[in-house]
Amino acid sequence: MPQGKPDVVPDDGLTTRQRRNRPLTIVHTGVGKGKSTAAFGLALRAWNQGWPVGVFQFVKSAKWRVGEERALRVLGDSGEGGTVAWHKMGEGWSWVQRSPESNEEAAREGWAQVRRDLAAQTYGLYVLDEFAYPLHWGWVDTDEVVEVLRSRPGTQHVVITGRNAPAALVDAADLVTDMSKVKHPMDVGQKGQKGIEW
Amino acid sequence: MPQGKPDVVPDDGLTTRQRRNRPLTIVHTGVGKGKSTAAFGLALRAWNQGWPVGVFQFVKSAKWRVGEERALRVLGDSGEGGTVAWHKMGEGWSWVQRSPESNEEAAREGWAQVRRDLAAQTYGLYVLDEFAYPLHWGWVDTDEVVEVLRSRPGTQHVVITGRNAPAALVDAADLVTDMSKVKHPMDVGQKGQKGIEW
């Protein structure tokens, strides 16, 4: 079990308090399950801290994340923890009036909004769900993302999920977990199941 | 992105519907972050399906899982999804009157209750958080656990987290993800942070 003790004492000129509140860039990548579910698990902790949580869902699927979305909306509306804002590319981002001409354009619009929110310090935690795909495909420029994340103000944490996270993003991130598939029911013919896949 | 399509068509004598509702044994292991957070993310899906969720927290730490516990309690009490029962070893399992003499005994008592609940089909999803440790340490017999899971009635899903999941458990499981550490802030002297580690 992790003991919460660092391996080395850093020589970074920061106080312990500053280090405690350092904004983290977190990446969940790899071909195994659990990348997004772990990100939404992190959202529970952020909600519990009273932080505003912003979810940007960079996927198009009616079925995906319905459970997480409903749960986080109930939590956000409970008045007990932080607020939750849920933004979906699949149905057209709510702040964009017209329909985007392509998934590529939609992904870019999503990133542009994330960038504006980071500048405005809108959220305490950003869940950029499946954002690794538009980066991997080159729809959104990874170098620009890295630069925006590096220079973001305040203590905003960002978690990015998806297979094939670009190397430059992994290099720039503070915490990277690779979810490796050891075994999956689909290997032996099992289809996706409610409560498990969605 | 997973397309939900199996690689092979199984020759198991089951109907598609039976296969759809097959109870899964899921293991999140490895040294990286996200094992438990992904399990609690799964709990959101189960809650959304209206399933009773049972969490058995096989760890002793005041700080761990406080966010997840509060969030799942709010969800369970909301009346919108499934119920949530949260059991903690660290404070003494609620169904045991006297204090256990050791962590080993406490872990065994936890497993005994899981076994009773599986027989009674109490929950739709069981989160056995950090249960891999008492198995790895030999406090609870892995072969017994595997046999109880194999013969459990109904469609109860079980997710087990923790490093060092025993090979026999991995063999018996349907879905296994290894969370590998690519990079962690503690490597460079960062201490645990609120909203991230708890």
Side-chain angles (χ1 to χ4, degrees):
Chain A
M1 293 183 234
Q3 297 298 314
K5 287 180 192 152
D7 295 336
V8 294
V9 176
D11 181 23
D12 54 11
L14 296 178
T15 65
T16 299
R17 185 186 171 79
Q18 285 170 323
R19 236 177 271 120
R20 278 258 179 215
N21 295 314
R22 197 159 65 97
L24 294 183
T25 299
I26 301 170
V27 174
H28 296 169
T29 191
V31 301
K33 294 259 303 170
K35 298 182 288 292
S36 293
T37 38
F40 291 111
L42 270 181
L44 302 184
R45 296 184 187 161
W47 169 85
N48 180 55
Q49 296 290 345
W51 300 344
V53 175
V55 177
F56 294 79
Q57 196 183 344
F58 284 85
V59 285
K60 289 188 80 158
S61 167
K63 209 154 62 173
W64 277 25
R65 318 290 180 244
V66 289
E68 293 89 330
E69 181 181 357
R70 183 165 162 230
L72 283 172
R73 284 192 191 280
V74 166
L75 289 172
D77 293 345
S78 71
E80 298 214 22
T83 56
V84 175
W86 193 289
H87 306 289
K88 272 188 264 197
M89 188 176 94
E91 299 175 2
W93 305 109
S94 56
W95 65 84
V96 183
Q97 295 303 314
R98 57 183 182 72
S99 294
E101 296 197 353
S102 63
N103 286 343
E104 183 170 346
E105 190 187 335
R108 281 215 194 94
E109 285 168 351
W111 164 245
Q113 182 62 37
V114 170
R115 192 177 173 149
R116 287 190 292 268
D117 282 327
L118 285 168
Q121 302 189 51
T122 307
Y123 306 110
L125 174 72
Y126 295 70
V127 178
L128 308 189
D129 190 34
E130 307 289 359
F131 187 49
Y133 291 96
L135 294 176
H136 176 65
W137 294 327
W139 293 356
V140 175
D141 183 57
T142 300
D143 290 341
E144 183 199 317
V145 170
V146 165
E147 182 47 38
V148 167
L149 291 175
R150 276 215 177 101
S151 60
R152 71 190 186 269
T155 57
Q156 308 171 88
H157 299 295
V158 177
V159 53
I160 295 171
T161 76
R163 293 189 190 191
N164 301 121
L169 177 66
V170 169
D171 287 347
D174 303 289
L175 197 165
V176 181
T177 303
D178 183 281
M179 275 67 171
S180 314
K181 184 179 80 165
V182 176
K183 193 189 279 188
H184 194 287
M186 287 184 199
D187 298 341
V188 291
Q190 175 73 43
K191 291 191 182 180
Q193 289 179 263
K194 69 176 180 182
I196 302 296
E197 305 285 337
W198 66 88
Chain B
M1 293 182 232
Q3 297 299 316
K5 288 181 192 151
D7 294 336
V8 294
V9 177
D11 181 23
D12 54 12
L14 298 176
T15 65
T16 299
R17 187 186 169 81
Q18 284 169 325
R19 236 176 272 122
R20 278 260 179 213
N21 294 315
R22 197 160 64 96
L24 294 183
T25 299
I26 301 170
V27 174
H28 295 168
T29 191
V31 302
K33 294 261 301 172
K35 298 182 287 293
S36 294
T37 38
F40 291 110
L42 270 181
L44 302 184
R45 296 184 188 163
W47 169 85
N48 181 55
Q49 295 291 343
W51 300 346
V53 175
V55 177
F56 294 79
Q57 196 183 345
F58 285 84
V59 285
K60 289 188 80 158
S61 168
K63 208 155 62 175
W64 277 25
R65 320 288 181 244
V66 289
E68 293 88 330
E69 181 182 356
R70 184 166 163 232
L72 283 172
R73 284 191 191 280
V74 166
L75 289 172
D77 293 345
S78 71
E80 298 214 23
T83 57
V84 175
W86 192 289
H87 306 289
K88 271 189 264 199
M89 189 176 95
E91 298 174 2
W93 305 109
S94 57
W95 64 85
V96 183
Q97 295 302 314
R98 60 186 179 69
S99 294
E101 296 197 354
S102 63
N103 286 343
E104 183 170 347
E105 192 187 332
R108 281 214 195 93
E109 285 169 349
W111 165 245
Q113 182 62 38
V114 170
R115 192 177 172 149
R116 287 190 291 270
D117 282 327
L118 285 168
Q121 303 190 52
T122 308
Y123 305 109
L125 175 72
Y126 295 70
V127 177
L128 308 188
D129 190 34
E130 307 288 1
F131 188 49
Y133 292 96
L135 295 176
H136 176 65
W137 294 326
W139 293 356
V140 176
D141 183 56
T142 301
D143 290 341
E144 184 198 316
V145 169
V146 166
E147 182 47 37
V148 168
L149 291 176
R150 275 215 177 101
S151 60
R152 70 189 187 270
T155 56
Q156 309 172 87
H157 300 294
V158 177
V159 53
I160 296 172
T161 75
R163 292 188 191 191
N164 300 122
L169 176 66
V170 169
D171 287 347
D174 303 288
L175 196 165
V176 181
T177 302
D178 184 281
M179 274 69 171
S180 314
K181 183 179 81 166
V182 176
K183 192 190 282 189
H184 194 288
M186 286 184 199
D187 298 342
V188 290
Q190 175 73 41
K191 291 191 182 182
Q193 288 178 262
K194 70 177 179 182
I196 302 296
E197 304 285 337
W198 65 87

